[in-house]
C-alpha cells in the first residue's frame, strides 16, 4: 500500500447507510475518495463536500448505475483515477427484493442480479489493472449472512450475496500472487433503510434471535472494512461475518 496520506478508495452505494459510514470512516483515515450512487446525487454531493472540508482530502462524487457496464467504464476513465489510481475498492451498492419467488417478475430478478452481482464484476474488472500496476491493493465486497445460509422471501438477494462470496474466494486466489487481497463482509441485520419494508414487530422478533440483542450499526461495518483494508495481504479470500452471533 502507498503512504497513508496518498491512499485512494472507491466506495459504491455511498449516499446513505453502510456506504456512507464507510466513506466517513475512510475519510477520517486520510483516504482520498471516489463515491458513487445510482440516484441520490444531492446527498452524495453534500457528503463529498463535507468530507473534503472536514478531513482535507480529495473527494469526488459520481452518479453511476453499477449494473450498467458502460457507465462503470466511463467512471474509471475519469482523471481522478488516472491521477490517483485506486488502492481500495469497496463494493457496497445493493438492493433487495422481499417477496415470494414465483411472484417475482423476470425484470425484478435481473435488476437485483445486475445491481448486486454484475456491478461487482464491472468494478473489479476496471480497478484491478490499477492495482496490478502497483502490485498492491485491497478489494472488500459487502455481502450478507443470507449469502451464507439463504433467506426465505429473499431468494434473489440471497443468490447475489452467495455469488459475491464465491466470487470473492475465487478472485482472491487469482490475485494473491500480485499482492492484492480480496475479502468480503457478511452483514447480519444492520440499521439501514433497507429494513424499511419490515414492521417494528418484525424487527423486534429478529432481534430476539440475535445473541447480541440488538441491530448492528453501519459504523461497525465501516470499522470492519477499515480493519480488513489495513490487514496484511496474507488475509485474503475470507468471508468475515458481522452479525452479533445471529447466524
Amino acid at each position: 500500500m502507498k503512504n497513508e496520506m496518498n491512499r485512494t478508495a472507491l466506495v459504491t452505494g455511498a449516499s446513505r447507510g453502510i456506504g456512507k459510514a464507510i466513506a466517513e470512516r475512510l475519510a477520517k483515515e486520510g483516504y482520498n475518495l471516489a463515491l458513487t450512487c445510482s440516484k441520490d446525487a444531492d446527498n452524495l454531493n453534500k457528503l463529498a463536500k463535507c468530507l473534503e472540508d472536514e478531513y482535507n482530502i480529495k473527494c469526488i462524487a459520481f452518479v453511476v448505475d453499477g449494473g450498467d457496464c458502460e457507465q462503470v467504464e466511463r467512471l474509471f476513465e475519469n482523471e481522478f483515477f488516472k491521477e490517483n489510481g485506486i488502492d481500495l475498492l469497496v463494493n457496497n451498492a445493493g438492493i433487495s427484493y422481499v417477496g415470494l419467488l414465483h411472484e417475482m417478475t423476470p425484470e425484478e430478478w435481473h435488476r437485483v442480479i445486475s445491481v448486486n452481482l454484475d456491478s461487482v464484476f464491472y468494478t473489479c474488472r476496471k480497478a484491478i489493472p490499477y492495482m496490478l500496476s502497483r502490485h498492491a491493493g485491497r478489494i472488500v465486497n459487502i455481502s450478507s449472512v443470507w449469502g451464507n445460509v439463504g433467506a426465505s422471501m429473499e431468494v434473489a438477494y440471497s443468490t447475489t450475496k452467495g455469488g459475491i462470496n464465491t466470487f470473492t474466494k475465487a478472485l482472491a486466489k487469482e490475485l494473491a500472487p500480485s499482492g492484492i487481497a480480496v475479502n468480503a463482509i457478511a452483514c447480519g441485520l444492520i440499521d439501514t433503510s433497507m429494513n424499511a419494508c419490515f414492521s417494528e414487530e418484525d424487527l423486534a422478533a429478529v432481534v430476539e434471535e440475535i445473541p447480541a440483542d440488538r441491530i448492528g450499526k453501519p459504523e461497525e461495518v465501516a470499522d470492519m472494512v477499515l480493519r480488513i483494508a489495513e490487514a496484511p495481504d496474507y488475509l485474503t479470500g475470507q468471508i468475515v461475518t458481522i452479525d452479533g452471533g445471529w447466524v
Side-chain angles (χ1 to χ4, degrees):
M1 304 290 280
K2 296 185 298 179
N3 180 276
E4 181 174 310
M5 296 304 295
N6 296 322
R7 293 172 300 177
T8 301
L10 166 62
V11 182
T12 69
S15 63
R16 59 183 181 175
I18 292 173
K20 181 180 179 181
I22 292 169
E24 292 172 340
R25 189 70 182 89
L26 294 176
K28 187 176 181 180
E29 293 299 312
Y31 278 82
N32 293 321
L33 296 173
L35 308 178
T36 75
C37 72
S38 61
K39 297 177 181 178
D40 199 355
D42 286 344
N43 276 339
L44 191 68
N45 285 322
K46 288 177 183 176
L47 175 63
K49 181 65 166 57
C50 178
L51 296 179
E52 272 196 334
D53 292 345
E54 184 169 357
Y55 297 108
N56 193 30
I57 61 166
K58 296 179 183 178
C59 189
I60 189 165
F62 302 92
V63 176
V64 174
D65 179 351
D68 185 315
C69 182
E70 292 184 359
Q71 289 190 38
V72 174
E73 289 187 344
R74 286 197 296 271
L75 166 67
F76 279 90
E77 290 171 359
N78 189 277
E79 288 298 320
F80 178 85
F81 294 105
K82 294 178 181 178
E83 293 174 2
N84 300 285
I86 178 169
D87 300 286
L88 170 63
L89 167 62
V90 183
N91 284 308
N92 167 74
I95 59 174
S96 182
Y97 174 93
V98 179
L100 296 170
L101 181 69
H102 70 274
E103 295 179 350
M104 189 178 195
T105 68
E107 291 76 20
E108 290 169 331
W109 170 271
H110 287 298
R111 184 58 182 163
V112 174
I113 299 297
S114 174
V115 172
N116 293 8
L117 187 55
D118 290 350
S119 64
V120 177
F121 162 60
Y122 296 147
T123 54
C124 286
R125 174 174 169 265
K126 300 303 292 186
I128 287 169
Y130 285 103
M131 296 179 180
L132 288 174
S133 68
R134 297 167 175 169
H135 206 79
R138 301 287 188 273
I139 297 172
V140 180
N141 300 317
I142 303 302
S143 184
S144 166
V145 293
W146 298 145
N148 299 335
V149 301
S152 174
M153 304 286 286
E154 295 188 62
V155 175
Y157 181 79
S158 300
T159 298
T160 60
K161 296 304 183 177
I164 285 173
N165 291 351
T166 305
F167 179 100
T168 296
K169 289 178 176 290
L171 186 61
K173 294 176 179 178
E174 186 172 310
L175 295 179
S178 299
I180 301 168
V182 187
N183 295 285
I185 298 175
C187 300
L189 183 62
I190 307 297
D191 187 13
T192 70
S193 59
M194 190 174 283
N195 301 320
C197 60
F198 301 107
S199 68
E200 290 186 11
E201 291 77 10
D202 289 336
L203 291 174
V206 174
V207 170
E208 287 183 359
E209 301 175 359
I210 301 173
D213 196 34
R214 65 177 176 84
I215 297 175
K217 302 174 184 177
E219 292 78 13
E220 292 174 305
V221 181
D223 285 343
M224 184 58 67
V225 169
L226 181 64
R227 292 188 183 194
I228 292 173
E230 299 298 310
D233 60 20
Y234 205 62
L235 177 71
T236 193
Q238 303 305 304
I239 313 301
V240 180
T241 299
I242 179 168
D243 68 354
W246 180 26
V247 176

